[in-house]
């Protein structure tokens, strides 16, 4: 089915996890593009501030304090969108939490809480969105991870939840296609992103947490999300590192297992004692921050991601560059032939 998505300035967009990190970056970028917004998260203060900022700048936003791990709360998000705007065009399932700790150390309670947010929150949001969008058309955008395809130590249950999100998202896309519903379903797979993610994670270790390189800016994820809101896409890898991890795991899984098993734990821990070990697993953390405190290099953009989202333009640029290179080579060859000919004539005249 040919799916047509509206320009951002004609859309109503629902964003969960809007109080910080990727969700906050996406909300700000969407508002700047003229979209009307339904903002959801657990942090009332951060949502209220964000709503006021957007509305004072001439935008239109409302907020709903909600825990996406509770289906009733997700229904309240849906109802608020319907009552205020008469519907929505894009639903972004961004809310997420993490745990750093070995699998046999983490409690069942914490693991279930993680799955409530990361998996069931996506399920509840996607199904609510599909209920409306299968009649009107639009986009469902789910936040997966590079760990949707790869497992790593210390974040095993987080990786499991993102694998589950991928399986659910793929199946939902197939069923909507089978029903000929005009709905685009996209899975976003970011690499490490410089948000407060490590600070918000439940920490079972005795060290401060960090992200393994390469790390990218959250605005690059927001850019990919809003691209998917206007262009039907199946998957978008944010960061060449994410694509590389996925490809290596597909073609050389034993190599990835060995590398991650021997080096990945140390890449996620700093040589500093742990501070806030509870994080935001069971209660909201400080909101209002897009960026984290990553002390390594952060890439502002990803050439791979930009190229994957604009393949025609990229191909044209590459083709033009190739043509220019060939022309330059040809010009140099002509110059050399002329120089050789002139030299030969000079020698003959002598």
């Amino acid at each position: 089915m040919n799916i047509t998505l509206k320009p951002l300035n004609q859309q109503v967009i629902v964003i969960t996890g809007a109080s910080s990190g990727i969700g906050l970056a996406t909300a700000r970028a969407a508002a700047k593009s003229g979209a009307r917004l339904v903002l959801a998260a657990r942090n009332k203060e951060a949502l209220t501030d964000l709503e006021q900022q957007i509305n004072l700048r001439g935008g239109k936003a409302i907020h709903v304090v909600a825990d996406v791990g509770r289906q009733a709360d997700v229904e309240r998000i849906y109802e608020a969108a319907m009552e205020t705007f008469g519907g929505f065009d894009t639903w972004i399932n961004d809310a997420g939490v993490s745990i750093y700790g070995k699998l046999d150390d983490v409690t069942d309670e914490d693991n279930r809480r993680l799955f409530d947010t990361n998996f069931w929150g996506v399920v509840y949001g996607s199904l609510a969105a599909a209920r409306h969008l299968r009649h009107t058309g639009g986009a469902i955008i789910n936040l997966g991870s590079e760990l949707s395809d790869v497992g790593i130590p210390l974040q095993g249950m987080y990786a499991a939840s993102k694998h589950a999100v991928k399986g659910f998202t793929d199946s939902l896309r197939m069923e909507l296609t089978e029903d000929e519903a005009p709905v685009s379903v996209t899975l976003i797979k970011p690499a490490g992103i410089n948000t407060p993610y490590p600070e918000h994670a439940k920490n079972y270790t005795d060290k401060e947490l960090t992200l393994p390189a390469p790390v990218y800016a959250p605005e690059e994820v927001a850019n990919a999300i809003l691209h998917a809101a206007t262009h039907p896409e199946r998957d978008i890898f944010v960061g060449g590192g994410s694509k590389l991890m996925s490809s290596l795991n597909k073609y050389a899984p034993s190599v990835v297992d060995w590398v991650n098993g021997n080096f990945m734990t140390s890449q996620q821990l700093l040589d500093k004692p742990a501070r806030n070990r509870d994080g935001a697993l069971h209660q909201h953390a400080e909101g209002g921050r897009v960026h984290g405190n990553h002390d390594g290099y952060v890439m502002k953009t990803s050439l791979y991601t930009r190229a994957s989202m604009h393949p025609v333009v990229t191909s044209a640029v590459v083709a033009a560059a190739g043509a220019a290179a060939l022309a330059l080579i040809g010009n140099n060859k002509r110059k050399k032939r002329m120089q050789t000919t002139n030299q030969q004539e000079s020698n003959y005249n002598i």
Side-chain angles (χ1 to χ4, degrees):
M1 168 171 285
N2 186 24
I3 298 172
T4 302
L5 303 176
K6 298 177 183 177
L8 290 175
N9 62 6
Q10 296 177 23
Q11 288 202 32
V12 174
I13 299 177
V14 177
I15 306 174
T16 71
S19 62
S20 68
I22 292 169
L24 177 55
T26 304
R28 288 175 175 171
K32 188 175 181 179
S33 296
R36 293 167 289 168
L37 302 175
V38 180
L39 309 167
R42 293 176 293 173
N43 190 326
K44 179 177 177 60
E45 181 180 358
L47 287 177
T48 301
D49 288 346
L50 178 59
E51 177 187 319
Q52 290 175 349
Q53 291 169 17
I54 291 172
N55 291 337
L56 285 173
R57 292 170 183 169
K60 177 61 178 176
I62 64 169
H63 78 268
V64 182
V65 179
D67 182 339
V68 297
R70 299 170 182 163
Q71 189 172 18
D73 282 18
V74 175
E75 286 299 314
R76 288 195 296 104
I77 301 170
Y78 176 91
E79 290 165 4
M82 298 301 292
E83 290 172 6
T84 304
F85 298 112
F88 50 88
D89 304 285
T90 295
W91 185 297
I92 300 165
N93 289 303
D94 170 70
V97 292
S98 189
I99 298 171
Y100 282 60
K102 292 192 173 182
L103 291 169
D104 56 1
D105 290 339
V106 181
T107 66
D108 185 60
E109 178 186 12
D110 284 352
N111 283 332
R112 289 182 180 274
R113 171 69 262 193
L114 181 145
F115 256 83
D116 282 344
T117 301
N118 291 8
F119 177 67
W120 288 107
V122 169
V123 171
Y124 297 147
S126 295
L127 295 180
R131 191 166 71 235
H132 173 66
L133 295 178
R134 64 170 57 248
H135 302 294
T136 63
I140 297 171
I141 302 170
N142 293 338
L143 266 290
S145 166
E146 62 184 350
L147 301 186
S148 294
D149 298 329
V150 182
I152 61 172
L154 283 190
Q155 292 194 73
M157 201 55 70
Y158 177 83
S161 73
K162 292 302 183 177
H163 275 63
V165 166
K166 178 183 183 301
F168 167 79
T169 302
D170 289 346
S171 297
L172 175 65
R173 183 187 304 108
M174 294 172 194
E175 291 187 0
L176 289 170
T177 299
E178 184 178 42
D179 293 343
E180 297 186 348
V183 184
S184 171
V185 180
T186 303
L187 182 65
I188 306 290
K189 298 179 181 179
I193 304 298
N194 182 31
T195 70
Y197 170 92
E199 302 164 62
H200 292 174
K202 178 73 176 282
N203 186 3
Y204 275 77
T205 80
D206 60 357
K207 301 289 187 181
E208 278 290 278
L209 307 174
T210 188
L211 297 164
V215 175
Y216 300 83
E219 289 83 1
E220 190 71 346
V221 189
N223 182 61
I225 290 170
L226 295 182
H227 174 84
T230 54
H231 301 81
E233 299 276 4
R234 187 183 190 278
D235 301 282
I236 300 178
F237 291 90
V238 180
S242 177
K243 177 62 176 178
L244 179 62
M245 285 273 283
S246 178
S247 297
L248 283 175
N249 196 60
K250 181 177 181 180
Y251 297 108
S254 59
V255 173
V256 173
D257 287 350
W258 185 86
V259 171
N260 286 346
N262 284 277
F263 301 104
M264 189 55 71
T265 293
S266 63
Q267 294 297 308
Q268 299 177 79
L269 301 174
L270 295 172
D271 191 20
K272 300 177 183 179
R275 291 179 292 178
N276 177 24
R277 298 176 69 178
D278 289 335
L281 186 64
H282 294 283
Q283 65 284 316
H284 73 75
E286 174 193 7
R289 290 173 53 208
V290 169
H291 300 99
N293 58 3
H294 186 70
D295 58 2
Y297 181 70
V298 176
M299 287 186 271
K300 292 184 178 180
T301 61
S302 165
L303 293 178
Y304 169 79
T305 301
R306 299 296 176 100
S308 69
M309 293 190 300
H310 305 285
V312 175
V313 174
T314 302
S315 297
V317 171
V318 170
L326 289 173
L328 181 61
I329 292 170
N331 189 45
N332 287 338
K333 287 182 177 179
R334 284 194 296 274
K335 286 182 178 179
K336 287 182 179 179
R337 285 199 299 269
M338 290 179 65
Q339 289 172 353
T340 301
T341 300
N342 291 338
Q343 184 64 43
Q344 290 173 343
E345 290 177 351
S346 177
N347 291 339
Y348 178 79
N349 290 331
I350 290 173

